[in-house]
């Protein structure tokens, strides 16, 4: 591990990283725009320049070199000595910041980025208080460059992070810099818009408010948002995300750094996977069939009824009982439900629920993968079923048997972002005498259900998902469940005979006794802020 | 959406302009062996396209991108960087008058007055019949023979006011012995 001296302080740093990164990781504040650890280095913003000791050409003694060096482009070397806190460096930063503000429209009050904008932050720290610019500022029209993004060129600092992102990470190269000098601007080729499955990441990596998310445009001031650490349910990769919430509403999802899965990026599917959470069509009252119609009931009643019903149908051990564990469930919920059912119906069949698959896995040039499997926890639920022992079946086997009338009782869990029970599926499930459906949406099966239980979305739950590579990652609750809905974890916790509040950590400790895999969850390391 | 934004997602067919011919594409391909990569062939490709069309249309950029196996945005990047590539139609003959110091001292202002009087157009304008476009340039790199006037790619040196009339009337005033793109970075003769 090389040791370098920054501003007189010796720090130990990782090998082969730029000085800028070493300084940020050691807690120094170094302004920068163009540097992003996930992209190539261009050293074009000129903000991170530093002083460095070099051998004097004549005396060969180490001395401060008269010119400044870009710290993002200088790799660390053992024994090197650099300086960020010097008059020379400060002068440079001040002058560069003045340049950046020459054409800036100063429209922070209406800018979505205000509050997390690095032009704002650096201007406050290093920029001029007033502008010496008397000439008219360059003005550009706002451009609609893609289905998710808008470009407001006046705010751009031409760091070219977005251009490099489309070239290197997405591999589609829609964005480019046109014209030159003070007329330089970001643009797409007319008729070739920014359309790729990772496109909205450019909004995150834009250090200023030039690239804007159409879904988030003028929605919220960012300082009102509270981030919650979560995991994306959009595909089997389990990208880690922040869910930004205010006023009991999700406003946006941002990527959370994860060195093992998604690094700094998320797919657009993950980013917009929250929209069904606020759908007015969601179920929110538990219903029970009384006198051939579904009528509202209360959650404690539901529990009693399920217990009683299960005891009746499972008097023979439960060979005609099927429990469908959806791959949208968290590991904890699946485990609680499975352990509850195994107690009263040791011969019940556990079924891994419907696994939505779209196309094939998409791999991007730098290794980002969008999985074809559009559910977060197939492996987790499979692990739980395997450990629970006893009969199990795949979704197709279950459907065949159900169609043949082999089951008398089934508890089916859903939780998919879209209504998923079509009429064919409903017809098959009608062959089962008693069906309990724990799902987010109303369905074609409603006229046959014995119990219809509203499910909470993953935003309103806590737990962990096991991704396609077997990595168990915890997610926190960002919102309280919809009025009338009890969180799935809490419901199964009480059903399994526990008392008190369901906490995923506590349940994982219980699980770990049987399933050591869940004893330890993976939490990605904290990264310093790279100006987003 | 609460903002008025210009739409870059779609483009009307008439704005795409003409594409380049198969022969031009073949000519571009013939330059490939001279360069380490197809991308490196960008500048000659643009010159060749501009030789054919008079300017580099959006469709031509697309065609070049296809030939060079690049995203069209990369071609637009280069076209917009250099002022000598035109992205809109111009007159058949492009008059470029030097306005820098040496030519100015040697009388380029008189030439400018004569051109504007004779053609009735100012800087960056095109005659209604589409025959001439006129613009001033910073330096044409022939200060020892000022004042200089370029007609398309043909350089006229030591131009007098009388020469202007002759140059404007001469249909061959822009004729180069060989097109510029043929001389462009030519391989050494064996």
């Amino acid at each position: 591990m090389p040791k370098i001296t920054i501003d007189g302080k010796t720090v130990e740093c990782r090998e082969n990283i730029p000085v800028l990164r070493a300084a940020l990781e050691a807690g120094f504040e170094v302004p920068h725009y163009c540097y992003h650890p996930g992209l190539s280095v261009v050293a074009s913003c000129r903000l991170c320049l530093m002083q460095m000791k070099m051998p004097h050409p004549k005396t060969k003694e180490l001395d401060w070199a008269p010119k400044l060096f870009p710290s993002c482009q200088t790799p660390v070397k053992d024994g090197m000595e650099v300086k960020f806190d010097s008059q020379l460096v400060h002068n440079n930063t001040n002058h560069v910041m003045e340049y950046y503000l020459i054409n800036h429209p100063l429209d922070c009050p209406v800018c979505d980025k205000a509050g997390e904008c690095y032009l704002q932050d650096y201007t406050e720290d290093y920029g001029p208080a007033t502008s010496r610019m008397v000439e008219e500022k360059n003005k550009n029209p706002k451009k609609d460059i893609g289905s998710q993004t808008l470009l407001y060129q006046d705010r751009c600092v031409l760091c070219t992070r977005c251009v490099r992102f489309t070239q290197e990470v997405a591999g589609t190269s829609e964005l480019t810099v046109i014209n030159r000098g003070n007329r330089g601007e970001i643009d797409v080729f007319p008729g070739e818009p920014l359309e790729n499955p990772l496109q909205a990441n450019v909004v995150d990596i834009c250090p200023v408010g030039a690239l804007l998310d159409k879904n988030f445009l003028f929605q919220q001031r960012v300082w009102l948002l509270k981030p919650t650490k979560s995991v994306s349910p959009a595909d089997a990769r389990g990208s880690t995300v922040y869910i930004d919430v205010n006023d009991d509403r999700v406003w946006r999802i941002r990527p959370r750094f994860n060195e093992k899965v998604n690094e700094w990026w998320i797919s657009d599917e993950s980013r917009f996977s929250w929209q069904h959470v606020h759908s007015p069509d969601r179920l929110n009252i538990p219903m029970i069939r009384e006198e051939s119609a579904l009528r509202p009931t209360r959650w404690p009643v539901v529990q009693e009824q399920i217990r009683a019903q299960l005891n009746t149908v499972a008097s023979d051990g439960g060979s005609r009982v099927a429990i469908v564990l959806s791959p949208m469930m968290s590991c904890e919920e699946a485990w609680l439900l499975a352990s509850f059912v195994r107690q009263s119906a040791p011969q019940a069949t556990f079924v891994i629920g419907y696994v939505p698959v779209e196309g094939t896995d998409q791999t991007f040039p730098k290794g980002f993968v969008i999985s074809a499997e559009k559910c977060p926890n197939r492996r987790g639920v499979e692990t739980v079923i395997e450990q629970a022992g006893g009969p199990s079946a795949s979704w197709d086997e279950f459907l065949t048997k159900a169609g043949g009338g082999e089951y008398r009782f089934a508890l089916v869990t859903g939780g998919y972002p879209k209504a998923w029970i079509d009429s064919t599926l409903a017809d098959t499930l009608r062959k089962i005498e008693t069906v309990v459906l724990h799902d987010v949406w109303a369905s074609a099966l409603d006229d046959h259900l014995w119990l219809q239980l509203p499910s909470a979305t993953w935003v309103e739950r806590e737990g962990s998902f096991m991704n396609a590579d077997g990595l168990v990652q915890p997610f926190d609750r960002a919102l309280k469940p919809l009025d009338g809905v009890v969180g799935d974890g809490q419901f199964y916790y009480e059903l399994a005979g526990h008392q008190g509040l369901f906490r995923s950590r506590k349940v994982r400790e219980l699980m770990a006794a049987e399933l050591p895999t869940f004893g330890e969850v993976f939490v990605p390391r904290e990264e310093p802020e790279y100006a987003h | 959406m609460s903002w008025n934004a210009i739409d870059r997602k779609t483009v009307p067919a008439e704005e795409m302009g003409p594409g380049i011919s198969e022969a031009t594409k073949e000519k571009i391909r013939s330059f490939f062996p001279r360069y380490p990569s197809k991308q490196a062939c960008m500048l000659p490709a643009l010159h060749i396209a501009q030789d054919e069309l008079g300017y580099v249309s959006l469709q031509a950029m697309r065609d070049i991108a296809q030939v060079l196996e690049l995203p069209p945005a990369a071609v637009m990047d280069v076209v917009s960087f250099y002022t000598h590539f035109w992205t809109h139609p111009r007159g058949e003959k492009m008059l470029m008058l030097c306005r820098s110091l040496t030519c100015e001292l040697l009388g380029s202002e008189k030439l400018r007055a004569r051109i504007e009087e004779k053609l009735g157009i100012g800087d960056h304008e095109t005659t209604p019949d589409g025959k001439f476009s006129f613009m001033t340039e910073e330096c044409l790199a022939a200060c020892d023979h000022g004042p200089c006037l370029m007609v398309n790619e043909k350089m006229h040196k030591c131009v007098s006011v009388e020469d202007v009339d002759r140059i404007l009337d001469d249909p061959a005033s822009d004729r180069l012995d060989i097109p510029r793109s043929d001389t462009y970075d030519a391989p050494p003769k064996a």
Side-chain angles (χ1 to χ4, degrees), chain B residues 63-75:
Chain B
D63 292 346
I64 291 172
Q66 197 198 358
V67 174
L68 302 185
E69 292 164 22
L70 291 169
V75 181

Side-chain angles (χ1 to χ4, degrees), chain A residues 139-176:
Chain A
K139 288 197 187 70
N140 281 294
K142 291 143 191 118
K143 292 179 208 161
D144 186 359
I145 56 166
S147 56
Q148 310 293 355
T149 43
L150 274 178
L151 172 67
Y152 188 0
Q153 183 60 42
D154 290 357
R155 293 175 184 157
C156 178
V157 292
L158 281 178
C159 67
T160 70
R161 275 183 184 186
C162 51
V163 177
R164 282 174 284 146
F165 177 83
T166 57
Q167 286 170 353
E168 296 165 15
V169 181
T172 43
S173 309
E174 295 102 337
L175 291 174
T176 188

Side-chain angles (χ1 to χ4, degrees), chain A residues 291-324:
Chain A
E291 295 157 12
S292 79
L294 281 176
R295 299 197 193 283
T297 180
R298 291 182 305 117
W299 285 97
V301 177
V302 169
Q303 286 184 18
E304 284 164 24
Q305 291 284 346
I306 291 184
R307 277 203 199 94
Q309 183 75 18
L310 206 55
N311 282 337
T312 320
V313 293
S315 50
D316 65 340
S319 56
R320 296 188 71 190
V321 172
I323 306 295
V324 179

